[in-house]
Each structure stands twice: as C-alpha cells, then as structure tokens.
Amino acid sequence: MNVEQVIARVMPALAALTLVVVPVTVPTTGCAGPPAFPPAGWFTNPTTTPPPAPVVVPPVVLPAIPLVVLPAVPPVVLPAPAPAPQAPAYPVRGRYPGEVLDLSNWYLTLPTGEERDPDDIYQPRLTTYLGSHFYPNSTGDGVVFRANAGGVTTSGSSYPRSELREMTGDRKAGWSNRSGTHTLCVRQAITRLPQVRPHLVAAQIHDADDDVMLVRLEGERLLVEYQDGDREVVIDPAYRLGTPYDLRIVAAGSRVQVYYNGRLRAEIPESGSGWYFKAGSYLQSNPDKGDDPDAVGEVVIYSLQVTHT
C-alpha cells in the first residue's frame, strides 16, 4: 500500500471526530500581575493531615543593664627621661694635669706609699700621671692637689702633702737669692680645709733643711710666715675658700718679696742658698691634732711659672 492509499483511508475517520472544548475560568488578582498558580481548589487530598498551626514565640525582654560609671583614672605622669651621659669632667684644656700646667721642671710628692716614705712622681711619668690626689678640676682649667689628714708623711714632717717640688731638668733645683732673681708666679685657690685644725700651706720656699717662708691659710687668715713661724705678715684677713688669687714670690737681693693680687704685701729680710720653690696642698693637720684621717685639704692651681734670671 502506498502513501496515497493510507491517507485516503485515514481522512474519513478523522473527519468523524468531535473536538470538545471545556471552558476554564482563570481567577485574576487585583493587580496586573500573572494569575495565581495553582488555582484554588485545583488539588485537594482529603487524606492529607493539615499543617500544624504556626508557633507564636513570645518576645524575650532582657533586664535593663545599669550604667556602670568607672572611677576617674588620674593621668599617668611618665618620669622624665634620664639625662644623656655627660662628657668626662676633664678636658677643656687637658685630661692630665701635665696638659693643664707645665710640669717639666717639677716632681710630685703624694700622701700615699710607705710610712715616712711617700710616693714621688718624677718626669717623664709626671706628664701623664693622674690620681685621686692630683687631677684636673671639673672645668679642666686647673689642677687639684688633695691631701688627707691620715696620709703618709715624709721623714722630716708629721703632715701629709700633695705638693710639687722644683727641679732643674732631672736634678733637684737649688739656688741662692744673693745672686740673680728667682720668681714663682702662681694663680691658685684654696678650696677645702679640715675642720678641727683648718691650716694649710699653699706655697713655700725651702732649703736643704727647713722651710724659709710659707704662704699659709689658718681658717680665714691668709698669711706669710717665716723664721720658723716666729714671724708672720697677714696678706688677707678674710680669705674665702675657693677664691682664686695671684701670688708672686720674688727672691733677689738677699730678701724675699711677696705680692698678693698684684700688690706687695710682705718683704722678708732673709738670704740663703740651696733654695727651691714648692706649691700644692701641704696640710698642717693629722689625726693627732683631732682631725679625721679622711679630712682633706685641697688647693687648685690654675697657672704655675718659675723664672730664674
């Protein structure tokens, strides 16, 4: 059977079919949106258990939390930062006494060492010597000479010293005021004295056996003493510790003249030979006089010069 024959036999049967159209009413909503889907009542199942009623959870009311007022906290004050380390209290002019003063023609006697045999510091060691009894002051423009009452003494004295003794090169100096002119110029300040016996010698002329003359402070009286203490001339009756002064001692023409701050204050009719200058702190006290062994006498020398013409 061909295709034409099949169509001829099917068409009469299709023509006999009746198309039934069932009208469906589509509910509308109150707005122009699409229809609700599915329509109400589209499907029901009487055997299905209806959903449970919604559970209404009551609102939870939290208790009021009282406002906590914290106490006032005082401000924290941080300590000031530590100061920067200071530079050593030496060199404005030098770290060693030998860089402050010309010590080329001196040697130093200290209140240390063996009993009756104190330490002596000679050149060239003295140029770079530094110790607790001989050191630059805090501004570096002077040298501190310090002797304690309980210090070691020489065999010819019962008093300790931190004191320079004049030299001529590598020999101990010795000269006579019967010829030539011999001058010591020193700028110094006496800065400390022991309490019980506040006596100190800051400069002197000495000979082979004993002192010829002394510049000595007793309390506030700065004086020139000679003839083994039997004679004295007060050159400042009210000296204040720490006050720098200029002292010039001129030994010539069989006499000694003492100038204090530029003025002639004493003239001593003494002559001799084997003389030499000394300067520093020669303390005139010791524990036998009632002072503590650690009590000190102190002198600062700012300039020092000796000339012989």
Short mmCIF file of all heavy atoms in Angstrom, two decimals, residues 223-283:
data_model
loop_
_atom_site.label_atom_id
_atom_site.label_comp_id
_atom_site.label_asym_id
_atom_site.label_seq_id
_atom_site.Cartn_x
_atom_site.Cartn_y
_atom_site.Cartn_z
N LEU A 223 98.33 84.23 105.33
CA LEU A 223 99.49 84.95 105.84
C LEU A 223 100.79 84.40 105.26
O LEU A 223 100.83 83.29 104.71
CB LEU A 223 99.51 84.88 107.36
CG LEU A 223 99.43 83.47 108.01
CD1 LEU A 223 100.80 82.89 108.27
CD2 LEU A 223 98.63 83.54 109.31
N VAL A 224 101.81 85.21 105.39
CA VAL A 224 103.18 84.80 105.07
C VAL A 224 103.90 84.57 106.40
O VAL A 224 103.87 85.42 107.29
CB VAL A 224 103.92 85.88 104.25
CG1 VAL A 224 105.38 85.50 104.06
CG2 VAL A 224 103.24 86.09 102.90
N GLU A 225 104.49 83.39 106.51
CA GLU A 225 105.16 83.01 107.76
C GLU A 225 106.64 82.74 107.47
O GLU A 225 106.98 82.14 106.44
CB GLU A 225 104.49 81.75 108.32
CG GLU A 225 105.01 81.28 109.66
CD GLU A 225 104.26 80.04 110.13
OE1 GLU A 225 103.16 80.20 110.70
OE2 GLU A 225 104.77 78.92 109.89
N TYR A 226 107.51 83.18 108.34
CA TYR A 226 108.95 82.94 108.17
C TYR A 226 109.61 82.89 109.54
O TYR A 226 108.96 83.05 110.58
CB TYR A 226 109.59 83.99 107.26
CG TYR A 226 109.48 85.42 107.73
CD1 TYR A 226 110.56 86.06 108.33
CD2 TYR A 226 108.31 86.16 107.55
CE1 TYR A 226 110.49 87.38 108.75
CE2 TYR A 226 108.22 87.48 107.95
CZ TYR A 226 109.31 88.09 108.57
OH TYR A 226 109.23 89.40 108.98
N GLN A 227 110.93 82.64 109.51
CA GLN A 227 111.72 82.44 110.73
C GLN A 227 111.08 81.36 111.60
O GLN A 227 110.86 81.52 112.81
CB GLN A 227 111.89 83.76 111.50
CG GLN A 227 112.78 84.75 110.79
CD GLN A 227 113.07 86.01 111.60
OE1 GLN A 227 112.64 86.15 112.75
NE2 GLN A 227 113.81 86.93 111.00
N ASP A 228 110.79 80.23 110.94
CA ASP A 228 110.27 79.04 111.61
C ASP A 228 108.97 79.32 112.37
O ASP A 228 108.73 78.76 113.44
CB ASP A 228 111.32 78.46 112.54
CG ASP A 228 111.06 76.98 112.85
OD1 ASP A 228 110.33 76.33 112.06
OD2 ASP A 228 111.54 76.49 113.88
N GLY A 229 108.16 80.22 111.82
CA GLY A 229 106.87 80.50 112.42
C GLY A 229 106.87 81.61 113.45
O GLY A 229 105.81 81.97 113.97
N ASP A 230 108.06 82.17 113.74
CA ASP A 230 108.11 83.23 114.74
C ASP A 230 107.61 84.56 114.19
O ASP A 230 107.21 85.44 114.96
CB ASP A 230 109.54 83.39 115.26
CG ASP A 230 109.99 82.20 116.10
OD1 ASP A 230 109.10 81.49 116.64
OD2 ASP A 230 111.21 81.96 116.20
N ARG A 231 107.68 84.74 112.88
CA ARG A 231 107.25 85.99 112.26
C ARG A 231 106.18 85.70 111.22
O ARG A 231 106.24 84.68 110.51
CB ARG A 231 108.44 86.70 111.60
CG ARG A 231 109.60 87.01 112.54
CD ARG A 231 109.22 88.08 113.56
NE ARG A 231 108.86 89.34 112.91
CZ ARG A 231 109.76 90.27 112.57
NH1 ARG A 231 111.05 90.09 112.83
NH2 ARG A 231 109.36 91.40 112.01
N GLU A 232 105.23 86.60 111.13
CA GLU A 232 104.18 86.44 110.12
C GLU A 232 103.67 87.80 109.67
O GLU A 232 103.74 88.79 110.41
CB GLU A 232 103.02 85.60 110.65
CG GLU A 232 102.24 86.24 111.77
CD GLU A 232 101.09 85.37 112.26
OE1 GLU A 232 101.26 84.14 112.38
OE2 GLU A 232 100.00 85.94 112.51
N VAL A 233 103.16 87.83 108.43
CA VAL A 233 102.51 89.01 107.87
C VAL A 233 101.20 88.54 107.25
O VAL A 233 101.19 87.66 106.38
CB VAL A 233 103.38 89.69 106.79
CG1 VAL A 233 102.63 90.87 106.19
CG2 VAL A 233 104.73 90.11 107.36
N VAL A 234 100.08 89.10 107.70
CA VAL A 234 98.77 88.74 107.15
C VAL A 234 98.58 89.46 105.82
O VAL A 234 98.68 90.69 105.75
CB VAL A 234 97.64 89.10 108.13
CG1 VAL A 234 96.29 88.80 107.49
CG2 VAL A 234 97.81 88.34 109.44
N ILE A 235 98.32 88.70 104.76
CA ILE A 235 98.12 89.32 103.45
C ILE A 235 96.65 89.36 103.05
O ILE A 235 96.27 90.08 102.13
CB ILE A 235 98.96 88.62 102.36
CG1 ILE A 235 98.58 87.15 102.24
CG2 ILE A 235 100.45 88.76 102.68
CD1 ILE A 235 99.31 86.42 101.11
N ASP A 236 95.80 88.59 103.72
CA ASP A 236 94.35 88.65 103.52
C ASP A 236 93.70 88.17 104.82
O ASP A 236 93.76 86.98 105.14
CB ASP A 236 93.91 87.78 102.35
CG ASP A 236 92.46 88.01 101.96
OD1 ASP A 236 91.67 88.48 102.81
OD2 ASP A 236 92.09 87.69 100.80
N PRO A 237 93.07 89.07 105.59
CA PRO A 237 92.50 88.67 106.87
C PRO A 237 91.17 87.94 106.77
O PRO A 237 90.69 87.38 107.77
CB PRO A 237 92.32 90.01 107.59
CG PRO A 237 92.09 90.99 106.48
CD PRO A 237 92.93 90.52 105.34
N ALA A 238 90.55 87.95 105.60
CA ALA A 238 89.23 87.34 105.46
C ALA A 238 89.13 86.56 104.15
O ALA A 238 88.23 86.79 103.33
CB ALA A 238 88.14 88.41 105.53
N TYR A 239 90.06 85.63 103.97
CA TYR A 239 90.05 84.84 102.74
C TYR A 239 88.87 83.88 102.75
O TYR A 239 88.58 83.22 103.75
CB TYR A 239 91.36 84.05 102.59
CG TYR A 239 91.34 83.16 101.37
CD1 TYR A 239 91.53 83.69 100.11
CD2 TYR A 239 91.11 81.79 101.50
CE1 TYR A 239 91.49 82.88 98.98
CE2 TYR A 239 91.08 80.97 100.38
CZ TYR A 239 91.26 81.53 99.12
OH TYR A 239 91.22 80.72 98.01
N ARG A 240 88.19 83.79 101.62
CA ARG A 240 87.06 82.88 101.46
C ARG A 240 87.48 81.69 100.61
O ARG A 240 88.05 81.85 99.52
CB ARG A 240 85.88 83.59 100.80
CG ARG A 240 85.31 84.73 101.63
CD ARG A 240 84.14 85.39 100.97
NE ARG A 240 83.05 84.43 100.77
CZ ARG A 240 81.90 84.74 100.15
NH1 ARG A 240 81.72 85.96 99.66
NH2 ARG A 240 80.96 83.82 100.02
N LEU A 241 87.21 80.49 101.11
CA LEU A 241 87.58 79.27 100.40
C LEU A 241 87.04 79.30 98.97
O LEU A 241 85.90 79.69 98.72
CB LEU A 241 87.04 78.04 101.12
CG LEU A 241 87.71 77.66 102.44
CD1 LEU A 241 87.04 76.42 103.03
CD2 LEU A 241 89.21 77.42 102.26
N GLY A 242 87.89 78.87 98.04
CA GLY A 242 87.51 78.79 96.64
C GLY A 242 87.79 80.04 95.84
O GLY A 242 87.57 80.05 94.62
N THR A 243 88.30 81.10 96.50
CA THR A 243 88.58 82.36 95.80
C THR A 243 89.97 82.30 95.15
O THR A 243 90.97 82.20 95.86
CB THR A 243 88.52 83.55 96.75
OG1 THR A 243 87.25 83.57 97.40
CG2 THR A 243 88.74 84.85 96.01
N PRO A 244 90.05 82.36 93.82
CA PRO A 244 91.37 82.37 93.20
C PRO A 244 92.12 83.67 93.51
O PRO A 244 91.52 84.74 93.63
CB PRO A 244 91.06 82.26 91.70
CG PRO A 244 89.66 81.75 91.63
CD PRO A 244 88.97 82.31 92.83
N TYR A 245 93.43 83.56 93.63
CA TYR A 245 94.27 84.74 93.85
C TYR A 245 95.58 84.54 93.10
O TYR A 245 95.99 83.42 92.78
CB TYR A 245 94.52 84.98 95.34
CG TYR A 245 95.18 83.83 96.07
CD1 TYR A 245 96.57 83.67 96.09
CD2 TYR A 245 94.41 82.90 96.75
CE1 TYR A 245 97.17 82.62 96.76
CE2 TYR A 245 94.99 81.85 97.43
CZ TYR A 245 96.38 81.71 97.43
OH TYR A 245 96.97 80.66 98.09
N ASP A 246 96.23 85.66 92.81
CA ASP A 246 97.52 85.64 92.14
C ASP A 246 98.62 85.91 93.16
O ASP A 246 98.58 86.92 93.86
CB ASP A 246 97.56 86.70 91.04
CG ASP A 246 96.61 86.37 89.89
OD1 ASP A 246 96.74 85.28 89.32
OD2 ASP A 246 95.73 87.21 89.59
N LEU A 247 99.58 85.01 93.20
CA LEU A 247 100.68 85.10 94.14
C LEU A 247 101.99 85.17 93.36
O LEU A 247 102.21 84.37 92.43
CB LEU A 247 100.67 83.87 95.05
CG LEU A 247 101.71 83.81 96.16
CD1 LEU A 247 101.40 84.85 97.25
CD2 LEU A 247 101.74 82.42 96.78
N ARG A 248 102.83 86.13 93.73
CA ARG A 248 104.17 86.23 93.11
C ARG A 248 105.20 86.36 94.22
O ARG A 248 105.12 87.26 95.06
CB ARG A 248 104.22 87.43 92.16
CG ARG A 248 105.58 87.61 91.46
CD ARG A 248 105.43 88.44 90.18
NE ARG A 248 104.81 89.73 90.44
CZ ARG A 248 105.49 90.88 90.56
NH1 ARG A 248 106.82 90.89 90.45
NH2 ARG A 248 104.85 92.01 90.78
N ILE A 249 106.13 85.44 94.23
CA ILE A 249 107.21 85.44 95.23
C ILE A 249 108.51 85.71 94.48
O ILE A 249 108.89 84.95 93.58
CB ILE A 249 107.28 84.10 95.97
CG1 ILE A 249 105.93 83.79 96.64
CG2 ILE A 249 108.40 84.10 96.99
CD1 ILE A 249 105.86 82.42 97.29
N VAL A 250 109.19 86.77 94.86
CA VAL A 250 110.44 87.17 94.21
C VAL A 250 111.56 87.11 95.24
O VAL A 250 111.52 87.82 96.27
CB VAL A 250 110.33 88.59 93.62
CG1 VAL A 250 111.63 88.96 92.91
CG2 VAL A 250 109.14 88.69 92.66
N ALA A 251 112.55 86.27 94.95
CA ALA A 251 113.70 86.13 95.84
C ALA A 251 114.92 86.71 95.13
O ALA A 251 115.40 86.15 94.14
CB ALA A 251 113.93 84.66 96.20
N ALA A 252 115.38 87.85 95.60
CA ALA A 252 116.52 88.54 94.97
C ALA A 252 117.08 89.56 95.95
O ALA A 252 116.36 90.06 96.83
CB ALA A 252 116.08 89.23 93.68
N GLY A 253 118.38 89.88 95.79
CA GLY A 253 118.98 90.93 96.61
C GLY A 253 118.96 90.61 98.10
O GLY A 253 118.75 91.51 98.91
N SER A 254 119.09 89.32 98.45
CA SER A 254 119.12 88.88 99.86
C SER A 254 117.82 89.22 100.61
O SER A 254 117.84 89.53 101.81
CB SER A 254 120.33 89.50 100.59
OG SER A 254 121.55 89.04 100.01
N ARG A 255 116.74 89.13 99.90
CA ARG A 255 115.43 89.33 100.54
C ARG A 255 114.38 88.59 99.71
O ARG A 255 114.65 88.12 98.59
CB ARG A 255 115.08 90.81 100.62
CG ARG A 255 114.99 91.48 99.26
CD ARG A 255 114.73 92.97 99.38
NE ARG A 255 114.69 93.59 98.06
CZ ARG A 255 114.48 94.88 97.86
NH1 ARG A 255 114.30 95.69 98.91
NH2 ARG A 255 114.46 95.39 96.65
N VAL A 256 113.17 88.49 100.25
CA VAL A 256 112.05 87.85 99.57
C VAL A 256 110.85 88.79 99.63
O VAL A 256 110.48 89.26 100.71
CB VAL A 256 111.68 86.50 100.23
CG1 VAL A 256 110.48 85.88 99.53
CG2 VAL A 256 112.88 85.54 100.22
N GLN A 257 110.29 89.07 98.47
CA GLN A 257 109.10 89.90 98.39
C GLN A 257 107.90 89.03 97.98
O GLN A 257 108.02 88.15 97.12
CB GLN A 257 109.29 91.02 97.37
CG GLN A 257 110.36 92.02 97.74
CD GLN A 257 110.58 93.06 96.65
OE1 GLN A 257 110.61 92.73 95.46
NE2 GLN A 257 110.73 94.31 97.04
N VAL A 258 106.75 89.32 98.60
CA VAL A 258 105.54 88.55 98.31
C VAL A 258 104.46 89.52 97.82
O VAL A 258 104.10 90.47 98.53
CB VAL A 258 105.04 87.80 99.57
CG1 VAL A 258 103.75 87.04 99.24
CG2 VAL A 258 106.11 86.86 100.09
N TYR A 259 103.97 89.28 96.60
CA TYR A 259 102.92 90.08 96.00
C TYR A 259 101.62 89.25 96.00
O TYR A 259 101.61 88.09 95.59
CB TYR A 259 103.27 90.47 94.57
CG TYR A 259 104.46 91.40 94.46
CD1 TYR A 259 105.77 90.91 94.49
CD2 TYR A 259 104.27 92.77 94.30
CE1 TYR A 259 106.86 91.76 94.39
CE2 TYR A 259 105.36 93.64 94.18
CZ TYR A 259 106.64 93.12 94.23
OH TYR A 259 107.73 93.97 94.13
N TYR A 260 100.55 89.89 96.46
CA TYR A 260 99.24 89.23 96.52
C TYR A 260 98.27 90.04 95.68
O TYR A 260 98.02 91.22 95.96
CB TYR A 260 98.78 89.15 97.97
CG TYR A 260 97.42 88.52 98.19
CD1 TYR A 260 97.22 87.16 97.99
CD2 TYR A 260 96.33 89.29 98.61
CE1 TYR A 260 95.99 86.58 98.20
CE2 TYR A 260 95.08 88.72 98.82
CZ TYR A 260 94.91 87.35 98.62
OH TYR A 260 93.68 86.78 98.84
N ASN A 261 97.76 89.42 94.61
CA ASN A 261 96.87 90.10 93.67
C ASN A 261 97.46 91.42 93.17
O ASN A 261 96.79 92.45 93.08
CB ASN A 261 95.50 90.33 94.30
CG ASN A 261 94.70 89.05 94.43
OD1 ASN A 261 94.89 88.09 93.67
ND2 ASN A 261 93.81 89.00 95.42
N GLY A 262 98.75 91.35 92.85
CA GLY A 262 99.44 92.48 92.24
C GLY A 262 100.01 93.50 93.21
O GLY A 262 100.69 94.43 92.78
N ARG A 263 99.76 93.35 94.49
CA ARG A 263 100.24 94.32 95.47
C ARG A 263 101.31 93.70 96.36
O ARG A 263 101.18 92.55 96.80
CB ARG A 263 99.08 94.82 96.34
CG ARG A 263 98.01 95.58 95.59
CD ARG A 263 96.90 96.02 96.53
NE ARG A 263 97.44 96.85 97.63
CZ ARG A 263 96.71 97.22 98.69
NH1 ARG A 263 95.44 96.84 98.80
NH2 ARG A 263 97.26 97.97 99.62
N LEU A 264 102.37 94.46 96.62
CA LEU A 264 103.41 93.99 97.53
C LEU A 264 102.84 93.97 98.95
O LEU A 264 102.44 95.00 99.49
CB LEU A 264 104.63 94.92 97.46
CG LEU A 264 105.78 94.58 98.43
CD1 LEU A 264 106.36 93.20 98.12
CD2 LEU A 264 106.87 95.66 98.35
N ARG A 265 102.80 92.77 99.55
CA ARG A 265 102.21 92.65 100.87
C ARG A 265 103.21 92.25 101.95
O ARG A 265 102.92 92.40 103.14
CB ARG A 265 101.06 91.63 100.85
CG ARG A 265 99.95 91.97 99.87
CD ARG A 265 99.37 93.36 100.12
NE ARG A 265 98.80 93.48 101.45
CZ ARG A 265 97.53 93.28 101.74
NH1 ARG A 265 96.69 92.93 100.79
NH2 ARG A 265 97.09 93.44 102.97
N ALA A 266 104.35 91.72 101.55
CA ALA A 266 105.34 91.31 102.57
C ALA A 266 106.73 91.39 101.98
O ALA A 266 106.94 91.10 100.79
CB ALA A 266 105.05 89.90 103.06
N GLU A 267 107.70 91.79 102.83
CA GLU A 267 109.11 91.81 102.44
C GLU A 267 109.91 91.20 103.58
O GLU A 267 109.86 91.66 104.72
CB GLU A 267 109.57 93.23 102.15
CG GLU A 267 110.95 93.29 101.53
CD GLU A 267 111.22 94.59 100.81
OE1 GLU A 267 110.28 95.41 100.68
OE2 GLU A 267 112.36 94.79 100.35
N ILE A 268 110.62 90.13 103.23
CA ILE A 268 111.29 89.32 104.24
C ILE A 268 112.80 89.48 104.11
O ILE A 268 113.38 89.20 103.06
CB ILE A 268 110.90 87.83 104.07
CG1 ILE A 268 109.37 87.67 104.13
CG2 ILE A 268 111.57 86.96 105.12
CD1 ILE A 268 108.89 86.30 103.73
N PRO A 269 113.48 89.91 105.17
CA PRO A 269 114.93 90.09 105.10
C PRO A 269 115.68 88.77 105.37
O PRO A 269 116.34 88.60 106.40
CB PRO A 269 115.18 91.11 106.21
CG PRO A 269 114.12 90.83 107.22
CD PRO A 269 112.92 90.40 106.45
N GLU A 270 115.56 87.86 104.40
CA GLU A 270 116.21 86.55 104.54
C GLU A 270 117.05 86.28 103.30
O GLU A 270 116.70 86.67 102.19
CB GLU A 270 115.16 85.45 104.68
CG GLU A 270 114.33 85.51 105.96
CD GLU A 270 115.10 85.01 107.18
OE1 GLU A 270 116.11 84.31 107.01
OE2 GLU A 270 114.69 85.33 108.31
N SER A 271 118.18 85.61 103.51
CA SER A 271 119.02 85.20 102.38
C SER A 271 119.56 83.81 102.67
O SER A 271 119.62 83.36 103.81
CB SER A 271 120.17 86.19 102.16
OG SER A 271 121.04 86.20 103.29
N GLY A 272 119.95 83.13 101.59
CA GLY A 272 120.48 81.78 101.77
C GLY A 272 120.75 81.14 100.43
O GLY A 272 120.64 81.77 99.37
N SER A 273 121.09 79.87 100.48
CA SER A 273 121.40 79.11 99.27
C SER A 273 120.75 77.73 99.37
O SER A 273 120.26 77.33 100.44
CB SER A 273 122.91 78.98 99.09
OG SER A 273 123.49 78.30 100.20
N GLY A 274 120.77 77.02 98.27
CA GLY A 274 120.11 75.72 98.23
C GLY A 274 118.60 75.83 98.30
O GLY A 274 117.91 74.88 98.69
N TRP A 275 118.09 76.99 97.90
CA TRP A 275 116.64 77.21 97.98
C TRP A 275 115.93 76.62 96.75
O TRP A 275 116.51 76.46 95.67
CB TRP A 275 116.33 78.70 98.05
CG TRP A 275 116.72 79.36 99.36
CD1 TRP A 275 117.43 78.82 100.39
CD2 TRP A 275 116.41 80.70 99.73
NE1 TRP A 275 117.58 79.72 101.41
CE2 TRP A 275 116.96 80.90 101.03
CE3 TRP A 275 115.74 81.76 99.14
CZ2 TRP A 275 116.85 82.11 101.72
CZ3 TRP A 275 115.61 82.96 99.82
CH2 TRP A 275 116.16 83.13 101.11
N TYR A 276 114.63 76.35 96.93
CA TYR A 276 113.78 75.90 95.82
C TYR A 276 112.33 76.20 96.17
O TYR A 276 111.97 76.35 97.34
CB TYR A 276 113.98 74.42 95.52
CG TYR A 276 113.84 73.49 96.71
CD1 TYR A 276 112.61 72.95 97.07
CD2 TYR A 276 114.96 73.14 97.48
CE1 TYR A 276 112.48 72.10 98.16
CE2 TYR A 276 114.85 72.30 98.57
CZ TYR A 276 113.61 71.78 98.91
OH TYR A 276 113.48 70.94 99.99
N PHE A 277 111.51 76.28 95.14
CA PHE A 277 110.08 76.57 95.32
C PHE A 277 109.29 75.27 95.47
O PHE A 277 109.65 74.22 94.93
CB PHE A 277 109.52 77.35 94.13
CG PHE A 277 110.04 78.76 94.00
CD1 PHE A 277 110.81 79.14 92.90
CD2 PHE A 277 109.75 79.71 94.98
CE1 PHE A 277 111.27 80.43 92.77
CE2 PHE A 277 110.21 81.01 94.85
CZ PHE A 277 110.98 81.38 93.75
N LYS A 278 108.16 75.39 96.19
CA LYS A 278 107.19 74.30 96.30
C LYS A 278 105.78 74.91 96.21
O LYS A 278 105.56 76.05 96.62
CB LYS A 278 107.34 73.54 97.63
CG LYS A 278 108.74 72.98 97.87
CD LYS A 278 108.79 72.08 99.10
CE LYS A 278 108.28 70.71 98.76
NZ LYS A 278 108.45 69.75 99.89
N ALA A 279 104.84 74.12 95.69
CA ALA A 279 103.46 74.59 95.57
C ALA A 279 102.52 73.40 95.55
O ALA A 279 102.85 72.34 95.01
CB ALA A 279 103.28 75.42 94.29
N GLY A 280 101.36 73.58 96.15
CA GLY A 280 100.36 72.50 96.20
C GLY A 280 99.58 72.55 97.49
O GLY A 280 99.28 73.63 98.02
N SER A 281 99.24 71.37 98.00
CA SER A 281 98.48 71.26 99.25
C SER A 281 99.34 70.53 100.29
O SER A 281 99.47 69.30 100.25
CB SER A 281 97.18 70.49 99.03
OG SER A 281 96.50 70.29 100.25
N TYR A 282 99.90 71.32 101.21
CA TYR A 282 100.70 70.77 102.30
C TYR A 282 99.86 70.96 103.57
O TYR A 282 99.86 72.02 104.18
CB TYR A 282 102.04 71.50 102.38
CG TYR A 282 102.98 71.05 103.48
CD1 TYR A 282 102.89 69.80 104.07
CD2 TYR A 282 103.98 71.91 103.93
CE1 TYR A 282 103.76 69.41 105.06
CE2 TYR A 282 104.87 71.53 104.93
CZ TYR A 282 104.75 70.28 105.49
OH TYR A 282 105.62 69.90 106.50
N LEU A 283 99.13 69.93 103.95
CA LEU A 283 98.19 70.00 105.07
C LEU A 283 98.94 70.15 106.39
O LEU A 283 99.99 69.52 106.59
CB LEU A 283 97.34 68.73 105.07
CG LEU A 283 96.10 68.72 105.95
CD1 LEU A 283 95.14 69.83 105.59
CD2 LEU A 283 95.39 67.36 105.81
#
